Amino acid sequence: MKIFLIFLSFLFFSPNLIGQEGFQYYSKKDKVTIPFQFINNLIFIPLKVNGVDLTFLLDTGVEESILFSLEDKEELKFNNVEKIKLRGLGNSDFIEGLKSSGNLVVFKDDIVDQKHDIYIILDEEFNFSGSVGIPVNGIIGYQFFKNFKVEINYLSQKIYIHNPSKEIKKRKMNKFLEVDIFFHNNKPYYSTLFEFDNQKVDGKLLLDIGNSDAFWFFSNRIKSYTFSNQSFEDFLGKGFNGDIFGKRTKLNSFSFEDFRFKNPYVAIPDSTSLSNIKWAESRIGSIGGEVFKRFNIIFDYKNSKLYLKKNKKFNDPFEYNMSGIEINHAGLQWIQEEVKMNVLTRDQTSYENITKGSDSFKYKFVLKPIYVIANIRKDSPADLCGLKKGDIIVSINSHGTDRYSLQEVNNLLKSQEGKKIIFEVDRGNRRMKFTFYLKSIL
């Protein structure tokens, strides 16, 4: 699967877009702990909306809270609903939506907003649950961060909301590097002199934990550096109005402050996908989850600060999907399996003598994931071996797909150059087998 990201921009056509007080801290503890799932460099957190359990993507790159999939949550009711129009990346068209105000949103019973605005996307196609392998109902960003110091520990997969009435211990904070950030449309940016392959470039980068890539760069806004011609066209993500495409390439190094990243892969979206962005002055791109996962981080929106501390994954090599396949989790199905049984018989003349009888078989039904090839990059190893969009994957390297989570399949497809991959697939009424080898083209 190609690295999935969601990257959104909004225009709201609705009256009375008034900010609310936001989340309040009701615990007496120094911090409230929220566990998260970490998939494809993205953070997914549990919350309750009007008493119903949901899962949202945590994304500093969005301002308002968005809901786009209820996934059998018909009991969820919304307050004060009005029609709006939304516009995002992909093309210039508007899509229909709803705005609901006065909703109760709760994290761990201790972080509560009683008047939360939620923007609802009505298009059922806008749903990326299949791309990450778990039900995802929406996205939350600025509203989650704005009132607290929010610490993200990628290794333990826990978020800590610090009590706003207490200071974090100085001994702990001294281990972090403090950097100043600023906000444009309530999204955090970092501005400094960056270094591309030892060449200085001045600019601003969006701090976007909802982007699974390491970096996005807008080549038309970077005049002092020329990206390598060694690149390939690829699917980069999904916006409101369709898929986002662009190029992927590699830098020898990228540096800011005291941090130097060796051989990072970067994405360069095409100009069509960028036509609806409200540009922050001097913005040249974004920093995404592939970079942030190499740190422990603390966002302090109130004081316009970001705190960074390297974790043990800082020097891990950057990777990308070398197969050219994007795989979607298309639900579950019951599969009939044959199970071999050894039948033991007892000697009629003795209670102690047990002999082995003949083999027999029984059948059981097992719930297994359905993995479908959603896209294939042209001239990639998967394309050249004959795999096609729509193929249903039955086994991977002679193992049933129930052995793998979608995350594990994605990890396999970017594991190492030259690795042999065997897919058995269903195509229509035919069972077919294909072999390819992972190949790096950067």
Side-chain angles (χ1 to χ4, degrees):
M1 172 181 166
K2 300 176 182 66
I3 297 174
F4 182 82
L5 58 92
I6 192 85
F7 189 92
L8 304 178
S9 175
F10 295 90
L11 283 182
F12 297 102
F13 291 84
S14 174
N16 303 319
L17 293 179
I18 302 173
Q20 65 271 0
E21 190 176 354
F23 286 101
Q24 302 299 305
Y25 192 100
Y26 288 103
S27 175
K28 295 181 180 179
K29 298 179 181 179
D30 291 344
K31 60 186 178 184
V32 172
T33 303
I34 302 174
F36 64 83
Q37 297 183 72
F38 189 58
I39 304 172
N40 295 350
N41 296 330
L42 302 174
I43 293 172
F44 299 93
I45 54 176
L47 73 166
K48 288 186 178 181
V49 176
N50 296 333
V52 177
D53 291 315
L54 301 176
T55 299
F56 273 40
L57 168 69
L58 186 61
D59 187 354
T60 51
V62 300
E63 178 180 2
E64 302 293 348
S65 301
I66 310 156
L67 188 140
F68 46 76
S69 172
L70 292 180
E71 300 275 349
D72 299 324
K73 301 289 185 179
E74 294 181 0
E75 70 273 26
L76 180 57
K77 307 298 181 184
F78 295 101
N79 302 322
N80 307 316
V81 176
E82 59 181 303
K83 289 185 178 181
I84 59 171
K85 290 186 177 181
L86 309 171
R87 186 172 75 180
L89 298 185
N91 63 43
S92 60
D93 295 335
F94 295 99
I95 64 173
E96 297 293 331
L98 301 173
K99 177 195 171 187
S100 172
S101 58
N103 297 285
L104 176 64
V105 179
V106 179
F107 293 91
K108 295 294 291 285
D109 296 328
D110 296 313
I111 308 297
V112 180
D113 185 354
Q114 300 183 51
K115 298 180 179 180
H116 199 80
D117 288 347
I118 296 177
Y119 295 85
I120 304 164
I121 299 173
L122 301 178
D123 186 352
E124 294 182 359
E125 295 297 319
F126 192 83
N127 183 342
F128 58 86
S129 296
S131 299
V132 295
I134 63 170
V136 181
N137 308 108
I139 309 173
I140 192 167
Y142 173 74
Q143 303 301 329
F144 179 83
F145 288 93
K146 70 175 185 178
N147 288 342
F148 313 111
K149 292 179 181 176
V150 178
E151 179 179 354
I152 302 175
N153 188 313
Y154 281 92
L155 297 183
S156 66
Q157 295 187 22
K158 292 180 180 178
I159 293 172
Y160 303 104
I161 310 296
H162 289 273
N163 191 327
S165 66
K166 300 180 180 181
E167 291 295 325
I168 303 175
K169 293 181 179 179
K170 188 175 181 180
R171 183 174 59 182
K172 176 176 181 173
M173 297 305 296
N174 286 340
K175 298 178 181 179
F176 288 78
L177 175 69
E178 175 189 304
V179 298
D180 293 322
I181 60 177
F182 76 97
F183 292 86
H184 177 76
N185 291 332
N186 290 330
K187 300 172 187 177
Y189 288 81
Y190 175 53
S191 178
T192 190
L193 195 63
F194 301 101
E195 192 173 288
F196 291 69
D197 297 344
N198 299 317
Q199 186 169 334
K200 304 292 185 181
V201 176
D202 192 16
K204 299 169 183 174
L205 294 178
L206 174 67
L207 306 175
D208 189 2
I209 65 172
N211 178 333
S212 61
D213 283 315
F215 300 100
W216 270 25
F217 290 120
F218 309 140
S219 58
N220 61 332
R221 297 176 67 87
I222 303 174
K223 305 300 183 183
S224 57
Y225 178 81
T226 302
F227 289 92
S228 170
N229 289 326
Q230 188 175 359
S231 62
F232 61 91
E233 298 289 336
D234 203 10
F235 168 80
L236 301 184
K238 190 174 182 64
F240 278 147
N241 307 111
D243 294 338
I244 302 167
F245 293 92
K247 293 182 178 180
R248 294 192 187 276
T249 187
K250 183 172 70 172
L251 303 177
N252 292 322
S253 65
F254 181 82
S255 303
F256 64 89
E257 299 290 345
D258 298 329
F259 307 118
R260 184 177 182 84
F261 304 95
K262 297 179 180 179
N263 301 314
Y265 297 106
V266 303
I268 305 172
D270 62 41
S271 58
T272 303
S273 299
L274 305 177
S275 59
N276 299 322
I277 290 182
K278 297 179 180 179
W279 292 101
E281 185 180 357
S282 302
R283 181 185 173 187
I284 59 173
S286 305
I287 302 176
E290 174 69 22
V291 169
F292 284 117
K293 74 177 184 181
R294 299 160 191 267
F295 295 91
N296 289 353
I297 60 178
I298 300 175
F299 284 101
D300 181 1
Y301 276 30
K302 278 192 169 182
N303 295 301
S304 298
K305 301 288 185 183
L306 172 67
Y307 299 88
L308 297 165
K309 182 178 72 171
K310 294 180 184 179
N311 64 31
K312 66 180 183 181
K313 292 191 175 292
F314 183 83
N315 290 316
D316 283 1
F318 289 86
E319 299 174 323
Y320 75 96
N321 185 333
M322 290 179 279
S323 71
I325 301 174
E326 180 193 350
I327 297 175
N328 273 5
H329 187 297
L332 300 168
Q333 64 180 346
W334 289 102
I335 301 294
Q336 179 178 281
E337 288 189 344
E338 189 178 63
V339 182
K340 184 176 180 180
M341 300 176 64
N342 283 326
V343 180
L344 301 181
T345 60
R346 188 182 299 278
D347 190 326
Q348 296 291 334
T349 62
S350 170
Y351 285 102
E352 297 180 356
N353 296 327
I354 298 177
T355 60
K356 182 177 180 180
S358 61
D359 292 338
S360 66
F361 298 87
K362 72 173 184 178
Y363 295 94
K364 66 176 181 178
F365 286 89
V366 180
L367 196 62
K368 292 189 175 184
I370 304 171
Y371 293 140
V372 178
I373 297 179
N375 277 300
I376 296 185
R377 188 176 72 244
K378 185 178 179 181
D379 295 330
S380 66
D383 179 40
L384 295 175
C385 82
L387 285 164
K388 294 184 180 297
K389 180 178 178 179
D391 286 346
I392 300 173
I393 302 169
V394 177
S395 70
I396 302 171
N397 289 347
S398 301
H399 298 293
T401 54
D402 58 312
R403 175 171 174 167
Y404 301 92
S405 68
L406 185 57
Q407 176 78 58
E408 289 170 333
V409 177
N410 290 333
N411 289 342
L412 178 67
L413 298 180
K414 58 184 180 182
S415 54
Q416 64 185 69
E417 186 170 16
K419 186 174 183 64
K420 183 179 181 180
I421 307 291
I422 303 172
F423 274 11
E424 189 176 9
V425 304
D426 279 339
R427 181 181 296 170
N429 296 321
R430 300 174 62 193
R431 180 68 58 90
M432 308 173 74
K433 188 175 288 187
F434 298 90
T435 300
F436 61 91
Y437 296 84
L438 299 183
K439 181 180 180 181
S440 175
I441 56 177
L442 293 179

